């Protein structure tokens, strides 16, 4: 149902996602933490993803509620999947949690916004302790992408030198992701990352002083043009 929802829009997507969330919750009535700890953790992980997708189809108070539930579900598997016993599952949950926290931060303000973004960055960095480029290249690239987005959002809440530093870290994360996301193999991921890189380079240019500004803007334009090689008007209007 969740995958079906990703192929639709509007009311139909919302209906399918609601069905997906209901199915996961129904499963959790039987698959308890006490009797089936690993199955429970996997269901919580999937529920967290579905709730995050559901929040993306709503706005305001409802979106904030769904994201809070998503983050809680994303945290739950960490009660079972420890880094020592289940390193890959732990890393997968941390990466997913980082994305959910960043989404929740978008619905927040002030100190709460800063806290959630800091937790998002920390979760992504934790996942990268396990997800190395050599052993888990695609997971590493995906987590680098999420990290780049969280760092960019942090930069938006900062000023001057702090913002410039965070933007530089965000750019480094996107460039790292592109070491794996090649256009021929992963065209959509490649284009998505190029677009995010273009946005971040342009923002960094605003915080730059001197000759580097022109270089950053030229790199931003190049990244946008690269994304448009995949994001065409016909295929991705």
């Amino acid at each position: 149902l969740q995958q079906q929802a990703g192929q639709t829009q509007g009311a139909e997507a919302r209906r399918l996602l609601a069905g997906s969330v209901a199915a996961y919750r129904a499963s959790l009535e039987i698959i308890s933490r006490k009797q089936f700890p690993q199955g429970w953790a996997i269901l919580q992980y999937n529920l967290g993803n579905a709730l995050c997708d559901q929040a993306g189809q709503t706005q305001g108070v409802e979106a904030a509620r769904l994201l809070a539930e998503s983050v809680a579900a994303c945290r739950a598997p960490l009660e079972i999947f420890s880094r020592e016993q289940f390193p890959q599952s732990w890393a997968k949950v941390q990466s997913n949690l980082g994305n959910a926290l960043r989404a929740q931060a978008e619905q927040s303000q002030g100190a709460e916004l800063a806290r959630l973004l800091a937790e998002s960055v920390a979760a992504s960095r934790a996942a990268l302790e396990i997800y190395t480029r050599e052993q888990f290249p695609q997971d590493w690239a995906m987590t680098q992408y999420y990290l780049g987005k969280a760092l960019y959002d942090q930069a938006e809440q900062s000023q001057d030198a702090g913002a410039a530093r965070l933007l530089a870290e965000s750019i480094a994360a996107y460039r790292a992701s592109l070491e794996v996301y090649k256009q021929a193999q992963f065209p959509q991921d490649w284009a998505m990352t190029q677009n995010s890189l273009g946005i971040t380079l342009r923002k960094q240019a605003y915080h730059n002083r001197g000759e580097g500004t022109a270089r950053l803007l030229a790199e931003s334009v190049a990244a946008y043009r690269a994304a448009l090689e995949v994001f065409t008007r016909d295929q991705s209007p």
Side-chain angles (χ1 to χ4, degrees):
L1 287 165
Q2 187 179 358
Q3 289 176 352
Q4 265 194 315
Q7 305 300 313
T8 60
Q9 296 179 349
E12 179 65 5
R14 289 192 292 274
R15 183 186 68 79
L16 290 165
L17 285 169
S20 174
V21 167
Y24 287 133
R25 292 199 191 281
S27 294
L28 287 167
E29 294 175 12
I30 304 300
I31 307 297
S32 67
R33 176 183 170 179
K34 184 176 180 179
Q35 289 184 298
F36 309 100
Q38 292 185 45
W40 176 86
I42 291 169
L43 279 169
Q44 291 284 0
Y45 173 89
N46 290 331
L47 174 61
N49 275 338
L51 285 163
C52 193
D53 288 351
Q54 197 177 29
Q57 298 290 326
T58 60
Q59 295 179 340
V61 175
E62 179 66 5
R65 180 186 66 79
L66 289 167
L67 285 168
E69 292 181 11
S70 172
V71 167
C74 289
R75 287 192 195 281
L78 294 173
E79 299 172 14
I80 305 300
F81 293 146
S82 66
R83 178 178 173 175
E84 293 72 26
Q85 289 184 299
F86 305 96
Q88 288 179 243
S89 296
W90 178 85
K92 185 177 182 179
V93 172
Q94 290 285 5
S95 182
N96 196 54
L97 175 61
N99 196 37
L101 285 163
R102 185 181 58 80
Q104 190 180 29
E106 293 176 355
Q107 302 291 324
S108 305
Q109 297 179 349
E112 179 71 359
L113 168 60
R115 179 185 67 80
L116 290 167
L117 287 175
E119 290 184 12
S120 175
V121 168
S124 292
R125 292 198 190 280
L128 290 170
E129 295 173 14
I130 304 297
Y131 283 159
T132 63
R133 179 183 172 180
E134 293 71 26
Q135 289 186 299
F136 307 100
Q138 291 186 50
D139 294 318
W140 178 82
M142 178 189 67
T143 306
Q144 290 283 6
Y145 177 79
Y146 287 157
L147 175 61
K149 292 186 76 68
L151 287 164
Y152 177 88
D153 289 348
Q154 273 193 316
E156 289 279 80
Q157 306 303 313
S158 304
Q159 295 180 344
D160 300 327
R165 176 185 61 80
L166 290 164
L167 288 168
E169 292 181 16
S170 176
I171 287 168
Y174 289 136
R175 292 199 191 281
S177 186
L178 289 169
E179 294 174 17
V180 174
Y181 286 156
K182 302 298 185 182
Q183 183 177 5
Q185 292 175 295
F186 307 101
Q188 294 294 320
D189 294 320
W190 178 83
M192 179 178 65
T193 306
Q194 290 284 7
N195 185 61
S196 295
L197 177 61
I199 292 169
T200 310
L201 285 163
R202 180 168 56 87
K203 180 65 73 170
Q204 193 185 37
Y206 294 155
H207 288 274
N208 192 66
R209 298 292 185 271
E211 297 179 359
T213 302
R215 175 186 60 80
L216 289 166
L217 288 172
E219 291 179 8
S220 174
V221 169
Y224 284 133
R225 290 197 192 280
L228 288 169
E229 294 175 17
V230 174
F231 291 154
T232 64
R233 178 176 178 179
D234 294 332
Q235 292 187 303
S236 309

